[in-house]
Each structure stands twice: as C-alpha cells, then as structure tokens.
Amino acid sequence: MSCSMANGIGYKNPYCQGSYYAIREAGYVGIFPLMETTFKLALDHALAETGKSLRSIAIAAGVSYEQLKNLKQGKSQTTNVDDARKVAAAFGVSLDDFYAGQLHSSTAMIAVAGRVGAGAEVELVDAFGKGNGLFHVACPPQLNPHGIVAVEVEGDSMSPAYPPGTILFYSRDALGVPTEAIGRVCVCEDVGGRAWVKHIKPGLEEGTFSLISLNPHHDPQHGIRLQWAAPVKFSLPPEFVKRIE
C-alpha cells in the first residue's frame, strides 16, 4: 500500500516519508488558505512578522543556514518534519501555529532538557541544542519562561509529591550549591554526572550533602558531592503534562 493510501496524505495526515505538507481539512487555517500553505510561505511570513533574521533562526533552531536560505530563495517549498519543528520552536510556537501564521502564541514553550532520577540513577546528558530537548511543554502561567529549564522525573523515590513523569521547572545561573538550595527539594547533579531530584541537607563532611527521598521506602544518600543544585520552582503532575512535540 502506498504512503498516500496508508496515511491519507492530502487529507488529514501531514506526514509522508519525512516531509511535512501543510494540507488541512478546514477551508482556512490561520492566515493561509487551504492548499496554499508551504513551509516556505510560513517561513517568509514568520520572518516578516517577527523581524528576525534567517541566520538567527538557523542558529537558534540548530538547522543549516544554507538549507533555510534555499527555502527562502524558492529552491524548495518543504523541509523534513524534525527541522520544521525546530524552526517553529525557534519562533516560540508549535508547528501547527507556525503553519497557521499564528506567531504570537499566548503560551510560551519550554524544552524538557532531560530526566532526573528519583530513585533511578540517571546520567545527565546535555545532547540538545539551545531550545531543543526531549519534547516541549507549555510554560505554566505562574512562571516567567526566561531562564527556566524543565526536566522529567524518573523513578519513585520522591512519590507521592513527584511521581514518575512529573515535569519540574527550575533555573540555574552557575555551578555550586547556593544557600537557598539547602533544606529544599532541588534538581541537582553530583560529581559523577548523575542527575537527581532530592531534598538537600548539609553533609557531615565539608562540601558534602545528604540527598533525602520523600518516599520512606528509599534510604537517604549521605556524603554526596554536588556540582550544582537548583530549587524546584514549580512542578507539573503527569496527568497535566501536555507534550508539544
């Protein structure tokens, strides 16, 4: 069965062999009429509307400048799905809003940069470009998105307060453990590169800390040396997490 027959290309499903086609059911979506929306049109509109340069978007999205330049010059009308999402995220909107020409989303997006262990030992891997991550979530209205980082909880040692799948929001300006982190639940990284969410208390030896779990079935960890710690500013329970891929 062909991709068109299997996926309904040209009707509801916009995906086919890695390319994104902006074809919708509705007669009009945003500012663009049906069958006229291409990635090039959406990109042209976004650049004109925001005043951003093509190069700045390429850098922010981690996408080839030459690739976007070819699109801008009309040498191509589409791009692959992953790059389309990255470009949309660089403008601060979802891919659907980008194609609809709706660039002033009332809700900012925050990249979920990785996972932290709450019982499980999770290596902190910063393999994503600026603005990218495992996925994106809407910034809670209680937070200013500037400087905010999000991570996903893995493991159950912080249950029931932070069960697996909870999204934690924090901000960190530098290495080290600030005084405001002591006695609070923090996202932290130990000297071995493992990422945790724990209640932090001073250790017996200078420069060490005790990492306390909220789940009584998990023993505390003592004598841990940390590279940094940042208090949790806000948490989003799993049932309220809406992924923006």
Side-chain angles (χ1 to χ4, degrees):
M1 182 179 291
S2 70
C3 180
S4 296
M5 293 176 66
N7 294 324
I9 191 68
Y11 179 55
K12 291 184 179 180
N13 194 322
Y15 301 97
C16 184
Q17 298 189 6
S19 293
Y20 194 101
Y21 297 85
I23 300 173
R24 303 288 198 274
E25 285 185 270
Y28 286 85
V29 178
I31 66 166
F32 298 116
L34 178 67
M35 299 298 290
E36 291 186 8
T37 314
T38 64
F39 185 82
K40 179 190 182 309
L41 279 176
L43 179 61
D44 287 344
H45 171 73
L47 292 171
E49 185 75 9
T50 63
K52 295 182 178 182
S53 71
L54 190 66
R55 189 173 295 278
S56 69
I57 291 300
I59 294 172
V63 174
S64 165
Y65 170 71
E66 291 301 320
Q67 176 185 344
L68 295 185
K69 183 178 177 182
N70 287 338
L71 283 160
K72 190 75 173 59
Q73 293 175 345
K75 297 178 181 178
S76 176
Q77 296 292 317
T78 63
T79 188
N80 64 73
V81 177
D82 287 340
D83 285 351
R85 286 175 177 155
K86 292 176 182 178
V87 170
F91 282 102
V93 297
S94 68
L95 187 54
D96 282 341
D97 283 346
F98 177 76
Y99 267 93
Q102 299 172 351
L103 301 172
H104 302 289
S105 174
S106 59
T107 303
M109 294 192 302
I110 294 180
V112 177
R115 296 184 174 91
V116 290
E121 292 190 4
V122 178
E123 297 289 333
L124 185 64
V125 179
D126 186 14
F128 303 103
K130 185 177 180 181
N132 297 322
L134 299 172
F135 53 90
H136 290 76
V137 294
C139 179
Q142 296 89 341
L143 297 177
N144 182 330
H146 180 70
I148 293 292
V149 181
V151 288
E152 184 179 31
V153 174
E154 183 172 304
D156 66 352
S157 77
M158 298 301 282
S159 295
Y162 306 116
T166 298
I167 302 298
L168 304 178
F169 300 86
Y170 68 96
S171 59
R172 179 174 68 89
D173 297 324
L175 294 176
V177 181
T179 56
E180 60 266 25
I182 305 301
R184 296 180 61 182
V185 174
C186 296
V187 175
C188 56
E189 181 186 1
D190 66 23
V191 293
R194 293 168 297 184
W196 306 94
V197 52
K198 296 289 181 181
H199 187 198
I200 294 180
K201 293 186 176 181
L204 295 177
E205 296 182 14
E206 184 178 356
T208 68
F209 300 89
S210 293
L211 306 185
I212 312 298
S213 300
L214 300 183
N215 186 334
H217 298 293
H218 289 261
D219 295 329
Q221 302 175 61
H222 300 293
I224 304 298
R225 295 186 181 274
L226 297 175
Q227 295 196 60
W228 59 267
V232 172
K233 291 180 177 290
F234 191 82
S235 64
L236 194 62
E239 60 268 27
F240 294 115
V241 175
K242 182 179 180 182
R243 296 191 179 204
I244 304 172
E245 300 292 349

